[in-house]
Amino acid sequence: MTLISLIFALALEQLRPLGNRNRVWHVFTRYANHLERNLNAGANRHGVFAWMLAILPPVLLSLLVYYALYAANPLLAILWNVLVLYLTMGFRHFSSAFSEISLALAEGRDLDARIALTRWTGLPAAELSVGEISRLAIEQGVVDSYRHVFGTMFWFVLLPGPSGALLYRLCSMLGQKWGGRQAEEDRFGRFAGSAAAWLDWLPVRLTAASFAVMGDFEDAVYCWRSQAKTWGNYANGILLASAAGALGVKLGDPLRQDYTIKFRPELGLGDEADPGFLKSAVGLVWRSALLWLFVVLLLSVANHMA
């Protein structure tokens, strides 16, 4: 049932992309904003309570609906899994922007590539060279592929019904929304950030290992061990360092943004990033996703035989 749900959800998402700014997530974002406005009094316990009100009701409801449908007909439960997965995971959540940038660079439309990159990342790109655009696109694509595919897939497989996929997606959204603030006195979002980091700990490392297996294994492991800790966000550093090593490309490095030089650590080994590596990055993500589906198949067969 798990493998069938994943395959159908990915196929549906390819045929009819939903996009990242859909109505369901807009409603949840408004709900999260409402909770923050009414519960944020600056204390950590307020953040914990708001997180529970935001996460637990939809996750428990998804689980109750799953068991009710399964009792009526297992096929209905599969359809419910597919629907929730369709809303929470998929390549098209990020690949449309990635493809737009890749096509623009291939056709020499550097300005269009910069506009698409700014729209995707929210970062200024007017001063970026073609190589810098390629670097940032690969970095954003690797991180987004983890959030929208691998992290969601891991928790869907681990927890019953679609509850794991929904739990991870909502926690990830709140982790970015509430937990990404830098102000020391703002303790409201600390629990949301910690919860998202906890959910990411194991799937981040499994995703990095998948990149290594499906790419240059030795360089991926070397970059992971020697470079990941230099990145500001350690989890993202693991993903980016392993992907860069697996692809044989250099990521990180300084960028020209807002008329200043933004210094960043070097990640990866090999050649400088160029538009050709964008297709290689997409191929690496797809191969890794197929590897995960194959592992799920093996686990399903073993469970059935047991």
Side-chain angles (χ1 to χ4, degrees):
M1 181 179 290
T2 299
L3 180 63
I4 293 173
S5 300
L6 286 169
I7 292 175
F8 273 94
L10 289 172
L12 178 61
E13 197 258 347
Q14 290 296 313
L15 293 173
R16 190 174 181 83
L18 186 62
N20 199 28
R21 294 185 176 93
N22 58 76
R23 186 172 300 177
V24 174
W25 299 129
H26 179 66
V27 170
F28 178 76
T29 300
R30 292 180 61 184
Y31 177 51
N33 291 337
H34 173 76
L35 290 175
E36 183 177 8
R37 284 195 303 269
N38 289 276
L39 297 177
N40 185 3
N44 183 65
R45 65 180 182 275
H46 302 139
V48 174
F49 184 58
W51 183 92
M52 294 176 66
L53 287 178
I55 299 293
L56 294 184
V59 171
L60 292 176
L61 178 61
S62 72
L63 197 57
L64 290 174
V65 171
Y66 170 78
Y67 282 124
L69 293 176
Y70 188 84
N73 190 324
L75 180 59
L76 295 177
I78 292 177
L79 293 176
W80 176 243
N81 281 348
V82 171
L83 175 61
V84 177
L85 284 172
Y86 177 64
L87 293 172
T88 56
M89 71 174 293
F91 288 93
R92 291 298 185 93
H93 286 280
F94 67 92
S95 64
S96 58
F98 197 86
S99 300
E100 183 181 357
I101 293 169
S102 179
L103 180 61
L105 291 177
E107 296 178 350
R109 295 183 286 108
D110 298 352
L111 178 59
D112 291 341
R114 293 187 182 97
I115 293 173
L117 183 63
T118 297
R119 189 164 56 242
W120 183 19
T121 65
L123 300 174
E127 304 164 71
L128 299 181
S129 66
V130 171
E132 291 170 331
I133 295 172
S134 302
R135 262 190 282 151
L136 275 183
I138 293 172
E139 292 168 10
Q140 190 70 33
V142 168
V143 172
D144 280 5
S145 71
Y146 167 75
R147 290 174 181 165
H148 294 289
V149 179
F150 299 104
T152 306
M153 189 185 300
F154 175 84
W155 286 105
F156 171 72
V157 173
L158 194 65
L159 297 181
S163 61
L166 191 59
L167 171 68
Y168 177 77
R169 190 74 187 100
L170 297 182
C171 283
S172 180
M173 292 177 66
L174 289 186
Q176 295 176 61
K177 185 176 182 59
W178 292 349
R181 297 163 183 165
Q182 302 297 323
E184 182 65 26
E185 64 275 7
D186 186 3
R187 297 189 291 270
F188 178 79
R190 287 185 181 177
F191 181 78
S194 298
W198 184 86
L199 290 178
D200 278 335
W201 195 93
L202 183 55
V204 158
R205 286 154 178 80
L206 291 177
T207 304
S210 303
F211 292 157
V213 171
M214 305 311 295
D216 188 320
F217 185 84
E218 291 186 3
D219 284 353
V221 173
Y222 172 79
C223 294
W224 176 355
R225 297 181 61 183
S226 62
Q227 298 176 337
K229 290 184 179 179
T230 65
W231 203 251
N233 183 308
Y234 184 42
N236 287 349
I238 293 174
L239 294 169
L240 295 175
S242 61
L247 291 169
V249 65
K250 290 182 180 178
L251 300 178
D253 284 335
L255 293 174
R256 293 170 294 174
Q257 290 181 324
D258 285 339
Y259 305 100
T260 61
I261 302 297
K262 182 180 179 181
F263 292 97
R264 309 184 310 159
E266 180 183 283
L267 298 175
L269 300 169
D271 301 326
E272 298 293 334
D274 60 40
F277 277 106
L278 272 67
K279 292 184 178 179
S280 300
V282 172
L284 178 66
V285 170
W286 267 109
R287 293 195 303 273
S288 300
L290 291 175
L291 175 63
W292 279 47
L293 290 175
F294 179 69
V295 171
V296 173
L297 173 62
L298 293 180
L299 293 175
S300 300
V301 171
N303 183 61
H304 179 72
M305 294 180 65

